[in-house]
Amino acid sequence: MARKSKDQRREQSKTPPPFLARVGIKLDPTQQREILGVVLFAFAGLTLLSLSHVTPSVFTDAWANVLRLLFGWGAFALPILAGIAGAFLLRRGKTGEPHVAWGRIFAAEIFFAVALGFVHLLTPIKPATPTAPAVLPVEVGEGGGFIGWAISRALASVIGNLGAGIVLALIGILTLPAIIGLKSTHLNDWSESLADRAASAQSESKSARARAETKLKSGNGSTPDAVPSNATLVPPPVSNPKQIPLPDPAAVRPRPTLKPMLKPAPSIILTPRNRPRPRGPQLPSIELLDASNESKYGEVDAKRKGDVIIETLANFGIPAKIVEVNAGPTITQFGLEPGFVERRTSDGQMRPRKVSVNRIAALQHDLELALAAAPLRIETPVPGRPIVGIEVPNQSISVVSLRGIMETDKFKKKKSRLKVALGRDVSGEGITAALDAMPHLLIAGATGSGKSVCINAIIACLLFDNSPDDLRLIMVDPKRVELVNFNGIPHLLGPVVTNAEEVVSCLRWVTREMDSRFTLFAKERVRNIEAFNEKMTKSNGEHTMPYIIVLIDELADLMLSAPEETEKQLTRLAQMARATGIHLVIATQRPSVDVVTGLIKANFPSRISFAVTSSVDSRVVLDTPGAEKLLGKGDMLYMANDSAKLFRLQGCFVSDDELARLVHFWREKAITDMSQVATEAPWKNTGDAKEGSDDALIVQATTLVQQYDRTSISFLQRKLGIGYPRAARLMDQLEEHGIVGPDEGGGKSRVVIVAGEQVKNFEAEEPPKKKR
């Protein structure tokens, strides 16, 4: 693993933890680790002396007896492990934040417990003597102690002593690879590297033969035409290169270089000559998707379940009747109409009154017991309908194919370039939406509930209906397993962002692009991207502006790394970017209030919630409970921006093979049509890869500190109104330019060594390289 840079280690070591900042203790993480390492060393020494009875006392003897009773002979391992941990913390004190492999620690704990149980099985019981009875090892602190006795006895009572020993030995052997960090992927990587080397050698031999044949032909007078210098070919990575024919260099025609959007230029990514609207050969065919085999949904025992619901409610004195039944792919919804009961009024007469819907909702668990199905979701009432909806899970969940939704008339007739298929509702009807009308989408749900499949379905719909001239994508995938498969398609503005530190620069670039588009709109006197493209098409058909979709697969990881900057950029984009054709799709598996903040949620009126763990998470996403009762595997609640009603849907499913065929189509088209494939992200060339690289702020800080003999990070915080991480990076840059002296440690201020007249020439100077 690559070591962290010195700037990153210095930044991490100077960021005070929030808890210590609240209580007023000013200790940086390096000092905290050193103190904790010394404490662990002291604990290890005291424990070792207590177990060895070198310094007998009431406290040490009691401590040693407790450890011996709990761990037996394994008590001596505790001070050894504590000493190792202390040495680890002290060794990492000057090199940055230590990486704790919690998986290895957990495996080591399991191995330690198994070892105690195994040792207890091997420890004999002291036989009885005429003067003393038999003594168990656990009673005198020998063997595996109480923990080893409990583990071994629990297994021995079920499978005997021999079976317990075999099981414990197997568990110990299985945990050893996890402790040393050996994974199956290591063997796979090794085998794949051998295969890659063999394939590379074979391809090199073929290339050598091809060059020899070309040279032979050129010698016979058949020299191919020279390739123009401005024609570029960037072959993207493909899943099966043998199926994609590379173009003949002699047949390549000159093509103008396609430049990505930069900061000062008008916001034009590409300058297509035309904007074809109808589907043609330039767009992928829907035949790339598997054929839909969906049949009409219907629950075979819907009548029986309806009778059970009516009978159960009648047993509790609630008359009702079922007026409609809607069968969907996941659940069947029974529409109940509450009946009337006789109630005595204040004048003593009996009059009929409608049953309260709250009484029906209170019987949810009784209905689950009667139907033997859980969880049930009760809508009291169904929005816009005079009925109570009881949603009962089907015995089997039907798969909703993406092609089935895209072939519906509702999807085909929707007039939007950014239309997406979401799924089918409780009645089996396909539900579609448009990103330009949302205008942004928030997706939340627990692990494995269907978020990534939903994002893949959205991307697939966009790729089927848009060429790279009409749509560009920015994908952020901190998990590095979902969106990275789309690398190489011409729609991407840059490779999929997997580094959390790069996301802030990416969002800043998108924000600048939004401002640049607004400036261009004001110049052309138009209000939004639709009016701008229409005006450009009518004038000369050039300089049309593509839509930009930003997809973030895991928001929680970004909010942990840079919460303030991420929230700031996302909020500003969500508030203003709609008119410029920039839309956000954000997903998170931890919908807590510190991740989905109030500012972010207020600007995402369209939301999708898959199954979550608690009603609190459901309220964070949807402002109402209900998502905790979903079934998972694509079952979701959809809140549209133009409706307060929650739609329960079964999301579309798109397989990996279908996505691979779609990606392969665009990669092959990028090669044959000489489309530009981004190999480097445009936000990497803007000069703000680090947050503190703003020249104006550096000049301001230089002008400020040159008035004093010494300065500090807290001084820059107060005077410039910036946060601690920004001030720390700014101080490092001032040191690189030779304006302040090095850090003297101990929280001391730094010496200012620049003269006042040198500030004017600061921008023209390059920072000197740091000495190693």
Side-chain angles (χ1 to χ4, degrees):
M1 180 181 297
R3 299 181 62 89
K4 296 182 179 179
S5 65
K6 188 173 182 180
D7 293 339
Q8 293 174 336
R9 296 196 301 267
R10 183 176 300 165
E11 172 187 347
Q12 294 176 352
S13 63
K14 294 182 180 179
T15 304
F19 173 77
L20 295 178
R22 288 197 299 267
V23 300
I25 301 177
K26 296 181 179 180
L27 291 178
D28 56 30
T30 301
Q31 295 172 337
Q32 295 180 48
R33 290 193 296 270
E34 292 176 351
I35 293 175
L36 183 58
V38 173
V39 171
L40 288 176
F41 263 122
F43 171 79
L46 180 62
T47 303
L48 186 60
L49 293 177
S50 301
L51 293 174
S52 303
H53 297 288
V54 176
T55 57
S57 65
V58 176
F59 173 77
T60 57
D61 290 345
W63 177 238
N65 292 333
V66 169
L67 293 180
R68 287 182 178 275
L69 289 176
L70 287 177
F71 305 104
W73 293 332
F76 287 94
L78 295 179
I80 297 175
L81 294 177
I84 294 174
F88 175 75
L89 290 176
L90 291 177
R91 183 177 64 88
R92 299 291 294 182
K94 297 298 184 182
T95 59
E97 193 73 24
H99 174 69
V100 181
W102 295 109
R104 294 187 181 183
I105 294 177
F106 181 69
E109 292 175 352
I110 295 178
F111 182 82
F112 181 64
V114 168
L116 293 180
F118 192 80
V119 169
H120 185 84
L121 289 176
L122 300 179
T123 304
I125 301 176
K126 293 184 179 180
T129 60
T131 58
V135 179
L136 296 176
V138 68
E139 297 177 353
V140 294
E142 297 180 354
F146 178 78
I147 295 178
W149 171 82
I151 296 175
S152 60
R153 286 301 92 195
L155 289 175
S157 62
V158 178
I159 55 179
N161 290 337
L162 180 59
I166 295 174
V167 170
L168 292 175
L170 289 176
I171 295 176
I173 294 174
L174 292 177
T175 55
L176 285 177
I179 296 175
I180 63 178
L182 181 62
K183 300 180 181 178
S184 60
T185 55
H186 296 160
L187 298 178
N188 295 336
D189 295 341
W190 178 72
S191 61
E192 290 177 358
S193 64
L194 291 180
D196 293 341
R197 292 177 183 176
S200 177
Q202 185 178 3
S203 62
E204 288 179 0
S205 62
K206 291 182 178 180
S207 300
R209 289 196 298 269
R211 288 193 299 268
E213 293 176 0
T214 303
K215 184 176 181 180
L216 181 60
K217 292 180 180 180
S218 61
N220 294 333
S222 57
T223 304
D225 297 335
V227 179
S229 59
N230 60 346
T232 57
L233 174 61
V234 185
V238 295
S239 56
N240 191 359
K242 295 182 179 180
Q243 298 179 358
I244 302 179
L246 293 176
D248 186 5
V252 177
R253 297 181 178 179
R255 181 179 180 91
T257 304
L258 305 179
K259 298 182 179 180
M261 295 176 292
L262 298 178
K263 180 176 178 181
S267 177
I268 308 297
I269 301 179
L270 299 173
T271 56
R273 294 294 176 181
N274 51 15
R275 291 173 62 81
R277 288 299 177 183
R279 178 176 295 276
Q282 72 280 356
L283 294 178
S285 171
I286 200 173
E287 298 297 328
L288 293 177
L289 298 178
D290 296 335
S292 175
N293 56 358
E294 300 178 23
S295 58
K296 186 169 181 60
Y297 304 106
E299 187 68 9
V300 293
D301 57 347
K303 186 178 185 305
R304 181 191 66 82
K305 291 183 177 180
D307 295 338
V308 171
I309 292 174
I310 297 300
E311 181 181 356
T312 304
L313 294 178
N315 293 336
F316 290 92
I318 301 177
K321 64 177 180 179
I322 296 178
V323 295
E324 65 178 42
V325 178
N326 296 318
T330 306
I331 57 101
T332 300
Q333 185 188 62
F334 297 88
L336 268 70
E337 183 179 324
F340 293 86
V341 294
E342 295 289 335
R343 294 291 178 88
R344 189 180 300 277
T345 60
S346 58
D347 57 0
Q349 297 182 0
M350 300 295 294
R351 294 183 179 178
R353 289 191 175 181
K354 197 81 167 181
V355 175
S356 173
V357 294
N358 292 330
R359 295 183 58 189
I360 300 177
L363 298 177
Q364 175 184 340
H365 298 300
D366 298 282
L367 291 173
E368 291 176 349
L369 179 62
L371 294 169
L376 265 66
R377 180 173 175 264
I378 301 179
E379 284 187 300
T380 54
V382 175
R385 304 287 302 282
I387 59 175
V388 175
I390 299 180
E391 299 174 354
V392 182
N394 295 338
Q395 293 181 353
S396 61
I397 298 178
S398 302
V399 176
V400 178
S401 65
L402 178 62
R403 181 171 178 176
I405 305 295
M406 296 181 66
E407 289 178 340
T408 60
D409 295 336
K410 188 175 183 180
F411 184 85
K412 293 178 180 178
K413 293 179 180 179
K414 199 171 190 66
K415 297 181 179 179
S416 174
R417 300 292 295 177
L418 304 181
K419 57 185 177 181
V420 295
L422 296 180
R424 296 189 182 271
D425 61 5
V426 295
S427 62
E429 182 181 359
I431 302 297
T432 62
L435 287 178
D436 52 351
M438 285 185 174
H440 311 290
L441 180 61
L442 175 64
I443 304 174
T447 302
S449 58
K451 300 186 306 301
S452 298
V453 177
C454 180
I455 293 179
N456 289 335
I458 291 175
I459 297 174
C461 292
L462 296 175
L463 294 181
F464 269 107
D465 289 332
N466 297 275
S467 66
D469 297 336
D470 301 321
L471 174 70
R472 303 307 293 267
L473 301 174
I474 297 176
M475 299 183 184
V476 179
D477 184 14
K479 294 187 293 186
R480 309 186 182 194
V481 293
E482 298 292 344
L483 302 181
V484 292
N485 297 322
F486 292 97
N487 270 327
I489 63 175
H491 296 75
L492 287 177
L493 273 171
V496 177
V497 180
T498 58
N499 187 1
E501 298 177 356
E502 188 181 343
V503 177
V504 175
S505 300
C506 175
L507 294 178
R508 284 206 201 105
W509 180 87
V510 177
T511 304
R512 287 198 302 270
E513 175 62 22
M514 177 189 68
D515 296 334
S516 178
R517 290 190 171 194
F518 273 123
T519 303
L520 192 58
F521 289 171
K523 180 181 178 181
E524 298 293 337
R525 296 185 178 181
V526 294
R527 298 182 58 184
N528 50 39
I529 186 174
E530 291 84 3
F532 177 83
N533 288 339
E534 184 178 359
K535 183 176 181 180
M536 293 296 104
T537 304
K538 290 181 178 179
S539 60
N540 53 13
E542 298 182 359
H543 301 290
T544 51
M545 188 178 294
Y547 290 89
I548 297 179
I549 308 297
V550 182
L551 300 107
I552 301 177
D553 190 30
E554 185 49 63
L555 178 63
D557 187 71
L558 308 183
M559 294 298 290
L560 289 176
S561 59
E564 295 181 0
E565 189 68 19
T566 301
E567 181 183 11
K568 174 184 174 183
Q569 301 297 336
L570 288 179
T571 303
R572 190 163 185 266
L573 287 171
Q575 289 173 342
M576 303 175 58
R578 174 182 182 178
T580 63
I582 300 176
H583 304 279
L584 306 176
V585 178
I586 298 177
T588 180
Q589 65 181 4
R590 197 176 62 130
S592 56
V593 293
D594 57 337
V595 175
V596 184
T597 62
L599 284 176
I600 293 179
K601 190 171 70 172
N603 294 282
F604 283 79
S606 299
R607 305 167 199 164
I608 291 177
S609 178
F610 292 89
V612 295
T613 57
S614 66
S615 60
V616 177
D617 293 343
S618 178
R619 291 181 184 274
V620 171
V621 181
L622 302 175
D623 298 324
T624 182
E628 75 279 2
K629 299 177 183 178
L630 297 177
L631 305 178
K633 296 183 179 180
D635 190 16
M636 66 180 180
L637 290 176
Y638 169 55
M639 175 189 289
N641 62 325
D642 56 352
S643 174
K645 176 183 177 181
L646 291 179
F647 298 90
R648 186 169 185 178
L649 312 176
Q650 177 65 29
C652 297
F653 175 77
V654 54
S655 65
D656 294 338
D657 293 338
E658 293 172 320
L659 289 176
R661 290 195 290 268
L662 180 59
V663 171
H664 177 74
F665 171 87
W666 283 114
R667 287 174 176 172
E668 182 180 11
K669 191 172 181 62
I671 293 181
T672 56
D673 292 355
M674 295 296 296
S675 299
Q676 182 183 17
V677 177
T679 58
E680 185 177 1
W683 47 84
K684 289 188 177 181
N685 299 324
T686 56
D688 63 345
K690 295 182 180 180
E691 186 178 357
S693 61
D694 189 356
D695 291 341
L697 188 59
I698 298 176
V699 173
Q700 185 179 358
T702 306
T703 307
L704 178 65
V705 300
Q706 60 92 26
Q707 303 175 10
Y708 303 90
D709 295 334
R710 304 184 70 89
T711 187
S712 63
I713 296 177
S714 59
F715 175 76
L716 294 178
Q717 284 183 262
R718 294 192 306 270
K719 295 296 184 180
L720 300 179
I722 57 179
Y724 184 89
R726 185 77 178 274
R729 281 189 287 270
L730 189 60
M731 184 66 75
D732 294 339
Q733 290 180 333
L734 293 177
E735 180 184 353
E736 291 177 358
H737 287 84
I739 298 172
V740 298
D743 187 10
E744 300 177 2
K748 297 181 181 179
S749 59
R750 301 196 184 195
V751 178
V752 179
I753 59 178
V754 68
E757 57 272 9
Q758 294 178 344
V759 178
K760 297 181 180 180
N761 299 327
F762 172 77
E763 296 184 2
E765 297 178 357
E766 294 185 357
K769 296 183 179 180
K770 300 183 68 176
K771 297 181 179 180
R772 296 185 178 272

